[in-house]
Amino acid sequence: LNSSLQLLYTVRGFCTRLVNHGGPLSKSVTAVDQLLQKEKAMSSVSPRLVKDAIDIATDRFTGYEQRDAHEFLSDLIDRVHDELDEEVGAGKENKDSTNRTEKEDAEKKDMAPSLLTDEFFRMNVNVCLKCDSCSYERNMDEMYRHLSIEVDRHEQKEDEVRPKWTVNEGIQKFFQSDQRELKCEKCEEGTTATQTLAVKSRPKALILQLKRFVVKERAQIQRPSTRKSASDHDETGNENAEEQSPLPAEMVLLKNKDPVVVDESFDLDHYLPKELKGSKYKLSGIVHHHGGSPSSGHYTTDAVRVNSDNKTDWVSFDDGSAYEANIAKILKSPHSQRTAYLLLYTLDS
């Protein structure tokens, strides 16, 4: 909870404009943020108001056991969005709810201003599926609040050090074309289609999740029985064949600790329409997961804060502790490259 909120509070435009909007959860988020703003840049306050509000909204995060920071932040943004959507809907109904046709309702909905959560945390992507046989295209729009990118490895060449994977390479892999098995609805021959992605609208704040936690197949160890009975042997006196058969593989959730070089900035120009090209995203926050497995460990955050001179500093947060950070050293640290989990990039204005 602490690390996720510190990342969210880095997006100042969102936090200041959220004040006096939404429902109980939104108001708890801004209340804690206002407490933080009264303190120094390297101070901390209790997030109890947010904890109480989200526990009322859902039982997914009750108690104080380890929870996934990405899961919590995604759920928080979605629930704040629902509160804002409900607020806008209620306002529109109160203003004019009589004698409207379905067509007029749809037109009003199209003209409604975008919600804060969409302005800051929504990316619209066009997904095109092109038949490899007849070139027939199917298009659909998808919405992303974040991008989950691969933590991959380069092939290691003989007598060379394996180059480290980078965030920019993860983004390129996310948007690269991909062949899918898909029956064409236009021709009979088409059984595969090439999928391409194109960004239609970009968020002011882009959250990237490094896919550290992966499901893998693992063989189970066959443990020999310490006791034998008559039932363990067949009629010929041999051990029961079923007893000797190997156990089926089990699916386990593991942590990928491979290093990832976090880029200080990048652009999405290759995937953007012409009118949106030219702006860069700059790094504004990192959530680290310290620990060897998904079910245990500890989260910390490095994030940008505005100091008393109205300049930005990097601050490291570890629950109630906060201290000045050197972002250049953090990005070069082998340990940080293995623990980076959530990344926040904001549009460089």
Side-chain angles (χ1 to χ4, degrees), residues 194-208:
T194 298
Q195 175 181 284
T196 55
L197 305 178
V199 179
K200 296 180 66 177
S201 67
R202 65 190 177 191
K204 289 184 175 179
L206 179 59
I207 298 171
L208 302 180

mmCIF file with all atom_site columns, all heavy atoms in Angstrom, residues 194-208:
data_model
loop_
_atom_site.group_PDB
_atom_site.id
_atom_site.type_symbol
_atom_site.label_atom_id
_atom_site.label_alt_id
_atom_site.label_comp_id
_atom_site.label_asym_id
_atom_site.label_entity_id
_atom_site.label_seq_id
_atom_site.pdbx_PDB_ins_code
_atom_site.Cartn_x
_atom_site.Cartn_y
_atom_site.Cartn_z
_atom_site.occupancy
_atom_site.B_iso_or_equiv
_atom_site.pdbx_formal_charge
_atom_site.auth_seq_id
_atom_site.auth_comp_id
_atom_site.auth_asym_id
_atom_site.auth_atom_id
_atom_site.pdbx_PDB_model_num
ATOM 1   N N   . THR A 1 194 ? -1.868 -11.894 -38.671 1.00 0.00 ? 194 THR A N   1
ATOM 2   C CA  . THR A 1 194 ? -0.801 -11.097 -38.062 1.00 0.00 ? 194 THR A CA  1
ATOM 3   C C   . THR A 1 194 ? -1.429 -9.962  -37.264 1.00 0.00 ? 194 THR A C   1
ATOM 4   O O   . THR A 1 194 ? -2.222 -9.179  -37.810 1.00 0.00 ? 194 THR A O   1
ATOM 5   C CB  . THR A 1 194 ? 0.152  -10.534 -39.128 1.00 0.00 ? 194 THR A CB  1
ATOM 6   O OG1 . THR A 1 194 ? 0.768  -11.623 -39.821 1.00 0.00 ? 194 THR A OG1 1
ATOM 7   C CG2 . THR A 1 194 ? 1.221  -9.673  -38.479 1.00 0.00 ? 194 THR A CG2 1
ATOM 8   N N   . GLN A 1 195 ? -1.074 -9.890  -35.998 1.00 0.00 ? 195 GLN A N   1
ATOM 9   C CA  . GLN A 1 195 ? -1.619 -8.852  -35.118 1.00 0.00 ? 195 GLN A CA  1
ATOM 10  C C   . GLN A 1 195 ? -0.637 -7.691  -35.004 1.00 0.00 ? 195 GLN A C   1
ATOM 11  O O   . GLN A 1 195 ? 0.549  -7.893  -34.750 1.00 0.00 ? 195 GLN A O   1
ATOM 12  C CB  . GLN A 1 195 ? -1.898 -9.412  -33.726 1.00 0.00 ? 195 GLN A CB  1
ATOM 13  C CG  . GLN A 1 195 ? -2.363 -8.355  -32.726 1.00 0.00 ? 195 GLN A CG  1
ATOM 14  C CD  . GLN A 1 195 ? -2.615 -8.927  -31.353 1.00 0.00 ? 195 GLN A CD  1
ATOM 15  O OE1 . GLN A 1 195 ? -3.625 -9.572  -31.128 1.00 0.00 ? 195 GLN A OE1 1
ATOM 16  N NE2 . GLN A 1 195 ? -1.683 -8.683  -30.440 1.00 0.00 ? 195 GLN A NE2 1
ATOM 17  N N   . THR A 1 196 ? -1.130 -6.477  -35.204 1.00 0.00 ? 196 THR A N   1
ATOM 18  C CA  . THR A 1 196 ? -0.327 -5.270  -35.008 1.00 0.00 ? 196 THR A CA  1
ATOM 19  C C   . THR A 1 196 ? -1.077 -4.327  -34.073 1.00 0.00 ? 196 THR A C   1
ATOM 20  O O   . THR A 1 196 ? -2.312 -4.324  -34.022 1.00 0.00 ? 196 THR A O   1
ATOM 21  C CB  . THR A 1 196 ? -0.037 -4.551  -36.342 1.00 0.00 ? 196 THR A CB  1
ATOM 22  O OG1 . THR A 1 196 ? -1.283 -4.281  -37.014 1.00 0.00 ? 196 THR A OG1 1
ATOM 23  C CG2 . THR A 1 196 ? 0.840  -5.405  -37.241 1.00 0.00 ? 196 THR A CG2 1
ATOM 24  N N   . LEU A 1 197 ? -0.308 -3.528  -33.319 1.00 0.00 ? 197 LEU A N   1
ATOM 25  C CA  . LEU A 1 197 ? -0.876 -2.583  -32.353 1.00 0.00 ? 197 LEU A CA  1
ATOM 26  C C   . LEU A 1 197 ? -0.479 -1.163  -32.738 1.00 0.00 ? 197 LEU A C   1
ATOM 27  O O   . LEU A 1 197 ? 0.659  -0.918  -33.150 1.00 0.00 ? 197 LEU A O   1
ATOM 28  C CB  . LEU A 1 197 ? -0.372 -2.876  -30.944 1.00 0.00 ? 197 LEU A CB  1
ATOM 29  C CG  . LEU A 1 197 ? -0.569 -4.297  -30.397 1.00 0.00 ? 197 LEU A CG  1
ATOM 30  C CD1 . LEU A 1 197 ? 0.036  -4.397  -28.993 1.00 0.00 ? 197 LEU A CD1 1
ATOM 31  C CD2 . LEU A 1 197 ? -2.044 -4.664  -30.348 1.00 0.00 ? 197 LEU A CD2 1
ATOM 32  N N   . ALA A 1 198 ? -1.421 -0.229  -32.598 1.00 0.00 ? 198 ALA A N   1
ATOM 33  C CA  . ALA A 1 198 ? -1.139 1.183   -32.858 1.00 0.00 ? 198 ALA A CA  1
ATOM 34  C C   . ALA A 1 198 ? -1.815 2.022   -31.777 1.00 0.00 ? 198 ALA A C   1
ATOM 35  O O   . ALA A 1 198 ? -3.011 1.840   -31.492 1.00 0.00 ? 198 ALA A O   1
ATOM 36  C CB  . ALA A 1 198 ? -1.641 1.588   -34.241 1.00 0.00 ? 198 ALA A CB  1
ATOM 37  N N   . VAL A 1 199 ? -1.061 2.924   -31.168 1.00 0.00 ? 199 VAL A N   1
ATOM 38  C CA  . VAL A 1 199 ? -1.595 3.761   -30.091 1.00 0.00 ? 199 VAL A CA  1
ATOM 39  C C   . VAL A 1 199 ? -2.473 4.863   -30.682 1.00 0.00 ? 199 VAL A C   1
ATOM 40  O O   . VAL A 1 199 ? -2.054 5.589   -31.587 1.00 0.00 ? 199 VAL A O   1
ATOM 41  C CB  . VAL A 1 199 ? -0.455 4.389   -29.266 1.00 0.00 ? 199 VAL A CB  1
ATOM 42  C CG1 . VAL A 1 199 ? -1.014 5.279   -28.164 1.00 0.00 ? 199 VAL A CG1 1
ATOM 43  C CG2 . VAL A 1 199 ? 0.425  3.294   -28.660 1.00 0.00 ? 199 VAL A CG2 1
ATOM 44  N N   . LYS A 1 200 ? -3.691 4.999   -30.176 1.00 0.00 ? 200 LYS A N   1
ATOM 45  C CA  . LYS A 1 200 ? -4.613 6.034   -30.642 1.00 0.00 ? 200 LYS A CA  1
ATOM 46  C C   . LYS A 1 200 ? -4.607 7.243   -29.714 1.00 0.00 ? 200 LYS A C   1
ATOM 47  O O   . LYS A 1 200 ? -4.794 8.378   -30.151 1.00 0.00 ? 200 LYS A O   1
ATOM 48  C CB  . LYS A 1 200 ? -6.029 5.471   -30.737 1.00 0.00 ? 200 LYS A CB  1
ATOM 49  C CG  . LYS A 1 200 ? -6.181 4.368   -31.763 1.00 0.00 ? 200 LYS A CG  1
ATOM 50  C CD  . LYS A 1 200 ? -7.606 3.852   -31.821 1.00 0.00 ? 200 LYS A CD  1
ATOM 51  C CE  . LYS A 1 200 ? -8.575 4.885   -32.333 1.00 0.00 ? 200 LYS A CE  1
ATOM 52  N NZ  . LYS A 1 200 ? -9.942 4.337   -32.457 1.00 0.00 ? 200 LYS A NZ  1
ATOM 53  N N   . SER A 1 201 ? -4.431 7.005   -28.422 1.00 0.00 ? 201 SER A N   1
ATOM 54  C CA  . SER A 1 201 ? -4.335 8.112   -27.464 1.00 0.00 ? 201 SER A CA  1
ATOM 55  C C   . SER A 1 201 ? -3.394 7.689   -26.349 1.00 0.00 ? 201 SER A C   1
ATOM 56  O O   . SER A 1 201 ? -3.354 6.519   -25.977 1.00 0.00 ? 201 SER A O   1
ATOM 57  C CB  . SER A 1 201 ? -5.705 8.488   -26.902 1.00 0.00 ? 201 SER A CB  1
ATOM 58  O OG  . SER A 1 201 ? -6.222 7.439   -26.096 1.00 0.00 ? 201 SER A OG  1
ATOM 59  N N   . ARG A 1 202 ? -2.634 8.628   -25.816 1.00 0.00 ? 202 ARG A N   1
ATOM 60  C CA  . ARG A 1 202 ? -1.620 8.319   -24.812 1.00 0.00 ? 202 ARG A CA  1
ATOM 61  C C   . ARG A 1 202 ? -2.005 8.925   -23.471 1.00 0.00 ? 202 ARG A C   1
ATOM 62  O O   . ARG A 1 202 ? -2.676 9.968   -23.414 1.00 0.00 ? 202 ARG A O   1
ATOM 63  C CB  . ARG A 1 202 ? -0.268 8.867   -25.264 1.00 0.00 ? 202 ARG A CB  1
ATOM 64  C CG  . ARG A 1 202 ? -0.285 10.372  -25.322 1.00 0.00 ? 202 ARG A CG  1
ATOM 65  C CD  . ARG A 1 202 ? 0.926  10.961  -25.980 1.00 0.00 ? 202 ARG A CD  1
ATOM 66  N NE  . ARG A 1 202 ? 0.770  12.416  -26.037 1.00 0.00 ? 202 ARG A NE  1
ATOM 67  C CZ  . ARG A 1 202 ? 1.548  13.225  -26.722 1.00 0.00 ? 202 ARG A CZ  1
ATOM 68  N NH1 . ARG A 1 202 ? 2.532  12.728  -27.432 1.00 0.00 ? 202 ARG A NH1 1
ATOM 69  N NH2 . ARG A 1 202 ? 1.353  14.530  -26.716 1.00 0.00 ? 202 ARG A NH2 1
ATOM 70  N N   . PRO A 1 203 ? -1.583 8.318   -22.380 1.00 0.00 ? 203 PRO A N   1
ATOM 71  C CA  . PRO A 1 203 ? -1.864 8.876   -21.059 1.00 0.00 ? 203 PRO A CA  1
ATOM 72  C C   . PRO A 1 203 ? -0.808 9.902   -20.657 1.00 0.00 ? 203 PRO A C   1
ATOM 73  O O   . PRO A 1 203 ? 0.314  9.890   -21.182 1.00 0.00 ? 203 PRO A O   1
ATOM 74  C CB  . PRO A 1 203 ? -1.785 7.639   -20.158 1.00 0.00 ? 203 PRO A CB  1
ATOM 75  C CG  . PRO A 1 203 ? -0.762 6.775   -20.830 1.00 0.00 ? 203 PRO A CG  1
ATOM 76  C CD  . PRO A 1 203 ? -0.920 7.004   -22.311 1.00 0.00 ? 203 PRO A CD  1
ATOM 77  N N   . LYS A 1 204 ? -1.152 10.763  -19.726 1.00 0.00 ? 204 LYS A N   1
ATOM 78  C CA  . LYS A 1 204 ? -0.172 11.705  -19.192 1.00 0.00 ? 204 LYS A CA  1
ATOM 79  C C   . LYS A 1 204 ? 0.808  10.998  -18.258 1.00 0.00 ? 204 LYS A C   1
ATOM 80  O O   . LYS A 1 204 ? 1.940  11.451  -18.083 1.00 0.00 ? 204 LYS A O   1
ATOM 81  C CB  . LYS A 1 204 ? -0.872 12.846  -18.455 1.00 0.00 ? 204 LYS A CB  1
ATOM 82  C CG  . LYS A 1 204 ? -1.619 13.806  -19.375 1.00 0.00 ? 204 LYS A CG  1
ATOM 83  C CD  . LYS A 1 204 ? -2.203 14.974  -18.596 1.00 0.00 ? 204 LYS A CD  1
ATOM 84  C CE  . LYS A 1 204 ? -2.839 15.993  -19.545 1.00 0.00 ? 204 LYS A CE  1
ATOM 85  N NZ  . LYS A 1 204 ? -3.428 17.136  -18.812 1.00 0.00 ? 204 LYS A NZ  1
ATOM 86  N N   . ALA A 1 205 ? 0.352  9.916   -17.658 1.00 0.00 ? 205 ALA A N   1
ATOM 87  C CA  . ALA A 1 205 ? 1.215  9.122   -16.775 1.00 0.00 ? 205 ALA A CA  1
ATOM 88  C C   . ALA A 1 205 ? 1.139  7.663   -17.222 1.00 0.00 ? 205 ALA A C   1
ATOM 89  O O   . ALA A 1 205 ? 0.050  7.082   -17.239 1.00 0.00 ? 205 ALA A O   1
ATOM 90  C CB  . ALA A 1 205 ? 0.771  9.265   -15.323 1.00 0.00 ? 205 ALA A CB  1
ATOM 91  N N   . LEU A 1 206 ? 2.270  7.096   -17.579 1.00 0.00 ? 206 LEU A N   1
ATOM 92  C CA  . LEU A 1 206 ? 2.311  5.728   -18.089 1.00 0.00 ? 206 LEU A CA  1
ATOM 93  C C   . LEU A 1 206 ? 2.937  4.815   -17.040 1.00 0.00 ? 206 LEU A C   1
ATOM 94  O O   . LEU A 1 206 ? 4.094  5.002   -16.650 1.00 0.00 ? 206 LEU A O   1
ATOM 95  C CB  . LEU A 1 206 ? 3.105  5.665   -19.390 1.00 0.00 ? 206 LEU A CB  1
ATOM 96  C CG  . LEU A 1 206 ? 3.263  4.295   -20.038 1.00 0.00 ? 206 LEU A CG  1
ATOM 97  C CD1 . LEU A 1 206 ? 1.914  3.672   -20.367 1.00 0.00 ? 206 LEU A CD1 1
ATOM 98  C CD2 . LEU A 1 206 ? 4.133  4.393   -21.300 1.00 0.00 ? 206 LEU A CD2 1
ATOM 99  N N   . ILE A 1 207 ? 2.170  3.829   -16.596 1.00 0.00 ? 207 ILE A N   1
ATOM 100 C CA  . ILE A 1 207 ? 2.657  2.861   -15.616 1.00 0.00 ? 207 ILE A CA  1
ATOM 101 C C   . ILE A 1 207 ? 3.089  1.602   -16.355 1.00 0.00 ? 207 ILE A C   1
ATOM 102 O O   . ILE A 1 207 ? 2.328  1.037   -17.143 1.00 0.00 ? 207 ILE A O   1
ATOM 103 C CB  . ILE A 1 207 ? 1.564  2.509   -14.587 1.00 0.00 ? 207 ILE A CB  1
ATOM 104 C CG1 . ILE A 1 207 ? 1.152  3.751   -13.800 1.00 0.00 ? 207 ILE A CG1 1
ATOM 105 C CG2 . ILE A 1 207 ? 2.050  1.423   -13.624 1.00 0.00 ? 207 ILE A CG2 1
ATOM 106 C CD1 . ILE A 1 207 ? -0.073 3.541   -12.914 1.00 0.00 ? 207 ILE A CD1 1
ATOM 107 N N   . LEU A 1 208 ? 4.321  1.177   -16.104 1.00 0.00 ? 208 LEU A N   1
ATOM 108 C CA  . LEU A 1 208 ? 4.839  -0.056  -16.683 1.00 0.00 ? 208 LEU A CA  1
ATOM 109 C C   . LEU A 1 208 ? 5.047  -1.074  -15.580 1.00 0.00 ? 208 LEU A C   1
ATOM 110 O O   . LEU A 1 208 ? 5.629  -0.763  -14.534 1.00 0.00 ? 208 LEU A O   1
ATOM 111 C CB  . LEU A 1 208 ? 6.177  0.188   -17.390 1.00 0.00 ? 208 LEU A CB  1
ATOM 112 C CG  . LEU A 1 208 ? 6.200  1.215   -18.527 1.00 0.00 ? 208 LEU A CG  1
ATOM 113 C CD1 . LEU A 1 208 ? 7.608  1.313   -19.108 1.00 0.00 ? 208 LEU A CD1 1
ATOM 114 C CD2 . LEU A 1 208 ? 5.211  0.856   -19.618 1.00 0.00 ? 208 LEU A CD2 1
#
